[in-house]
Amino acid sequence: MPRQKTSTKKPVKKSITKKPVVKKTSTKKPVKKSITKHVKQSSVPGSYSTVRGMKDITPKDSIDWMTIYHTAESIAHAYNFSYVETPVVEHAQLFVRSIGKGTDVVDKEMYLFEDRDGAKLCLRPEMTASIARAYINHGMQSLPQPVKMWYWGSMFRHDRPQAGRYRQFHQFGCETVGEHSPIVDAELISVAYNTIRDLGIDAMVHINSIGTTEEREQYIIELVGYLRSKRSYLSDISKQRINKNPLRVLDSKDEQDVAVIQEGPQIIDWLGDASKRFFMSVLEYLDELSIPYVLDSTLVRGLDYYSDTVFEIFPEDKEDKSQGALGGGGRYNPLIQQLGGQDVPGSGFSLGIERIMIALKEKRDKEQYVAPQLGGLYLAQLGEQARKRTLYILELLRREGIIVHHNLAKPSLKVQLEKANKINVSHTLIIGQKEVQDGTVLIRNMESGIQEIVDQKKIVNVAKKLLGIQK
Ligand code: AMP
């Protein structure tokens, strides 16, 4: 669920928002395009770089990456969200109709292409519209409501790459479709906030309500009148936005604009009683849950499908918000109907995984390095027969859910013991020629150096005891 943001780039005209040109059916055979003719090959083998704005997740990054994944997965399951996966490629119109024309995401950032059949497709820039599409396509309105779904996947936006802003990035998100209730919004904010908190990052929720579509329309009339009266004080880009997408002026970080916006009309004053009550209930639930939040009257997330609650989550210690939010979301009551479904309400959030990776790294850099706790086991081997037996024992342990460090490619026992020391395991299980013959394993306590011999048949129970899984 993208949020509109301030950009200084000149708008590029794209034809996707115009009526599609209908091609006449031709009887001619399609001309086969050869990709190899058009792709400029590098003359130096192995010198390819990643595409601008896209990056690899290397084994070094993957420890944090997987930690975030498992945290997200476990919290989503704990709150009874079911996993969904939708295709990365969608019809471009899906996002034009949902996110709306006049937004950066649709007008400038979508990865658009025609496939070989001439279908106008895109790489998804966000997931909410895809999930709404899936909800309609699979008749999920006939399931018990609400339908709670979570996802993890890559999104694509052709934006200007900078710190924390990529062209391919990843989101974890949750959507609750089929219920218009403040407790749904509070639950989603709680899941988003607690995912970040469980990762050890202090965060702050920024929250606002933009009411119903009708209330917002009234507010926009008032806002446009006000902005026109202050036109001469506004930055050039905001002047241009008054007519095109006035809500985006509220997003401006320009000092001149901020001063004007602060004095201007606030959307909260345009909400009717029902919208106000709804919003107050969301805030009461957050108080109950001790979730820290600030009311942010300029937070509007400027997309066509939002209504009522909107929120974003920032690292708590960051005054400078230019690197962007860790995540955001809101209620999207009009969306399902906008996409041709029934009048079904929905609400959701998405967190940016790359932004969380940055926050985790910054946190680690700030804190003093703490040596990892003594723990875990290393399985070492010496000699070809022992190596074979080690492979067998590894599988035996894995089937019992026991994961041990090992390196079958290193024949030297010295090297293996050095590694075991470095990663601070409590014990190393050693199998050499003699142990293979005797059917035993030598167990070395890495702290005291004391060694004992145990029967290979007992290895699973011994490993469990050493790991504290079993007494
Ligand atoms: P949005 O759908 O724009 O509200 O985005 C939700 C979250 O995804 C943001 O708060 C960011 O954490 C992350 N995000 C959005 N765009 C990008 C991007 N271009 N690169 C990296 N993360 C992004």
Side-chain angles (χ1 to χ4, degrees), residues 303-328:
L303 306 187
D304 285 359
Y305 62 58
Y306 281 117
S307 64
D308 302 286
T309 320
V310 285
F311 66 95
E312 289 195 333
I313 305 182
F314 289 90
E316 199 185 21
D317 53 351
K318 280 240 171 101
E319 278 300 304
D320 170 24
K321 304 261 175 287
S322 60
Q323 262 192 16
L326 298 173

Side-chain angles (χ1 to χ4, degrees), residues 413-421 428 430 444 446:
L413 187 61
K414 184 167 169 272
V415 172
Q416 292 176 72
L417 288 175
E418 276 169 8
K419 175 77 183 176
N421 243 327
T428 300
I430 305 167
R444 182 185 169 89
M446 299 300 282

Side-chain angles (χ1 to χ4, degrees), residues 1-5 105 109 125-128 155-157 159-160 162 164-171 301 303 305-306 311-313 323-329 349-356:
M1 40 179 55
R3 180 195 178 181
Q4 274 295 88
K5 63 185 180 313
V105 176
E109 295 172 3
E126 60 124 39
M127 271 293 272
T128 306
M155 313 297 146
F156 301 83
R157 295 182 200 168
D159 198 355
R160 191 166 56 84
Q162 51 188 292
R165 194 171 293 286
Y166 305 99
R167 289 182 173 174
Q168 179 180 7
F169 59 98
H170 298 73
Q171 288 183 336
R301 289 182 68 78
L303 306 187
Y305 62 58
Y306 281 117
F311 66 95
E312 289 195 333
I313 305 182
Q323 262 192 16
L326 298 173
F349 74 82
S350 60
L351 301 182
I353 309 308
E354 284 77 2
R355 301 263 173 97
I356 295 178

Side-chain angles (χ1 to χ4, degrees), residues 255-289:
E255 270 182 34
Q256 270 174 281
D257 295 342
V258 170
V260 174
I261 295 159
Q262 271 169 358
E263 298 295 313
Q266 298 197 347
I267 196 158
I268 201 92
D269 297 325
W270 263 255
L271 303 189
D273 285 347
S275 296
K276 271 190 193 147
R277 266 200 311 276
F278 189 97
F279 188 43
M280 286 311 293
S281 291
V282 176
L283 299 182
E284 279 163 22
Y285 285 124
L286 297 187
D287 289 335
E288 195 68 31
L289 293 162

Side-chain angles (χ1 to χ4, degrees), residues 21 147 215 380 401 417 427:
V21 181
V147 180
E215 287 160 355
L417 288 175
H427 295 80

